[in-house]
Amino acid sequence: MVLDSFLQGESILDELVRDSVTSALPNEELFTTASGIIPFSDDYQLGIPVNSESDITNALMELAFRYVAKVLVAVFCNDEGYDPIENSVAQRSIESLKWRLNGKYYNELKERYDYAVMKIFDYMENGSDGSNSLVQQCWFLAKMDICYRRGAVPSDISQFFQPATDEESQELLELALKFRRNFIPKIITPTSRVIFNPSFDFGEELIGEADCDMIVDSKIVDLRTSIGFEYPKDRVTKSMVHFLLSELNSEFGCEAGVYPVDSLVFYSARYGETEIFQIDDINPEIIDKALEKLIIVTEARHKGAPAVDNFSVKYEEGQKKKGQKKREMQERFLDDEDDRDNYNDGYYQVMERKNRHIFRKILIFLIIASLLTVGFVYLKNWYTDTYGAEYSLEQIFKNLFGN
C-alpha cells in the first residue's frame, strides 16, 4: 500500500510525511479503554497466543481476522445494504491481476474469488455453512490481500487454493469469538452506521491508497492481532492520516471522501482490549498545522499533476476564506479593532525604525573599530622597522620628534 510506503520509507519525503502527521499524534495518556483498565499496560491479559513462528502466516492471520471481523459487524447490524468486501484490498487485488495474469490462470482465480464472496454473503444472510466456512473464505481473501500489498504476481496460483490448516482455522475462530464478545457489544449497536473499507477520494490522490478497516458511528476502527500491549504508534499514525484525509476533503468540498470522525478506536484481538481516543482532546490548531504540513509535502511529490495543481489553487483560496472569516469575527466582537490595528501598525513602524537605527550605529562602530585596528597594526609594523622594538613612551617621542 502506498500509505504504508510513506509511513515506513526512508526517503526525505517519507520522513516529512511522518513528521507532518506525528506532530498531531496523541499521547498514550489521552487514551481510555472500553474495559476500564489502564491502556497499554501490563494489566492486559493475553487470551489467544500466536501459534506460528512464520511471519507470512501471522500476516495472513491478521488480514483474515480483519475480514472476519467486518463480516461479523455486518451481521450484527443486520443491514442488507452492507458489503464488507466492497473496496477491500482483496477486491482491488483481483481487479489488478486481470491485467497481470494469463487468462486461464486469472479465470480460475476469479472463480475462486467469486465463490468466496458468495459464501460470505450466504453466511451474512442465513448463517449457512457456519463459522468454519466463513474462516476459510476469509483466509483466501487474506491471500489475495497480501498479494496486492506486496505488489507480487503469483507464479503458482495453486497456493491460493490451499485452505487454512486446522490449527490456523481454530486460532481464527477464537479471535472471532473474542471479537464478538469483547468488541461488538461495547462499540456497536444494531442501528450503528458502518462504512466498510472507506475511500478518501481526493485525499488518496495526494497520499496514495488508504487502508482503513471501517468507520462506525464517527469512529475510525483499527484491528490488530499483534502480540504486545505497547502504544502502537504506527497504527495510531495510520488512523490519524485517515482522519486528516477526511478533514482535507471536508475543507475543500470533496464530499465523497468526508466522514464525520470524533474518535479513533483500536482493537487488540489477542487481548480483547479496545483503546479509544477522542479527537476533541487535541488542540484544533495542532490539527490545522498538521494538515497544512501534510498538504505541502505530498504536493511536492505530485508537482505538476493536474488534480494536485487544481487542489493547490483550492487550498490557497480556502486559506484566504479562512483568514477573511477570522477577520470578520474579530470585527464583530471588537468594535475598536481598527484603532487597535492603527496603533499596532504605528508602534511596529516606530520599533522597526528604531531597530534599524540601532543596527546602523552598531555597523558604523564595527567599521571604525576595524579601520583603527588595521591602522594601529600598520603603524606598529612601520615603527618597529624604522626605530626598533623599543616601545617606552620617552623613546617613542624621542624617535618621532627628536631631542
Side-chain angles (χ1 to χ4, degrees), residues 152-296:
V153 178
S155 58
D156 179 11
I157 66 169
S158 64
Q159 60 185 298
F160 289 98
F161 298 92
Q162 296 175 0
T165 65
D166 291 342
E167 292 78 11
E168 293 164 345
S169 178
Q170 182 60 35
E171 184 177 344
L172 195 47
L173 283 171
E174 291 177 7
L175 291 169
L177 180 61
K178 185 175 282 289
F179 176 79
R180 182 183 291 169
R181 183 175 60 245
N182 290 28
F183 181 86
I184 289 181
K186 296 179 180 178
I187 302 298
I188 304 175
T189 68
T191 58
S192 288
R193 180 174 180 268
V194 184
I195 303 171
F196 296 104
N197 314 306
S199 169
F200 293 93
D201 198 61
F202 178 76
E204 293 190 20
E205 292 191 39
L206 286 180
I207 200 70
E209 289 183 299
D211 176 27
C212 180
D213 290 317
M214 53 185 155
I215 299 177
V216 180
D217 295 331
S218 303
K219 304 177 185 69
I220 291 179
V221 176
D222 178 87
L223 309 171
R224 67 183 188 275
T225 61
S226 56
I227 289 290
F229 41 78
E230 297 81 6
Y231 176 67
K233 183 178 179 180
D234 57 335
R235 312 297 285 251
V236 177
T237 301
K238 185 180 292 187
S239 290
M240 182 57 71
V241 170
H242 296 153
F243 166 71
L244 291 176
L245 293 182
S246 178
E247 291 294 292
L248 182 151
N249 289 329
S250 175
E251 187 167 353
F252 300 104
C254 305
E255 297 182 2
V258 175
Y259 308 100
V261 176
D262 59 25
S263 55
L264 307 181
V265 176
F266 303 87
Y267 177 68
S268 184
R270 297 188 183 277
Y271 300 88
E273 293 294 343
T274 302
E275 299 103 12
I276 305 170
F277 166 73
Q278 302 294 334
I279 295 294
D280 287 345
D281 289 339
I282 299 182
N283 188 323
E285 293 183 0
I286 294 178
I287 293 177
D288 289 342
K289 290 180 180 179
L291 186 58
E292 291 174 6
K293 289 181 181 180
L294 184 63
I295 291 169
I296 292 171

Side-chain angles (χ1 to χ4, degrees), residues 330-344:
Q330 290 173 334
E331 292 172 358
R332 184 181 306 168
F333 295 105
L334 296 174
D335 295 334
D336 59 343
E337 185 66 28
D338 290 338
D339 293 336
R340 292 170 184 262
D341 288 343
N342 292 334
Y343 172 80
N344 289 335

Side-chain angles (χ1 to χ4, degrees), residues 31-45 273-274:
F31 283 78
T32 59
T33 60
S35 65
I37 67 173
I38 300 174
F40 316 116
S41 70
D42 54 10
D43 290 341
Y44 285 22
Q45 298 295 319
E273 293 294 343
T274 302

Side-chain angles (χ1 to χ4, degrees), residues 33-34 62 180 283 366-367 386:
T33 60
E62 176 163 303
R180 182 183 291 169
N283 188 323
L366 292 175
I367 292 173
T386 306

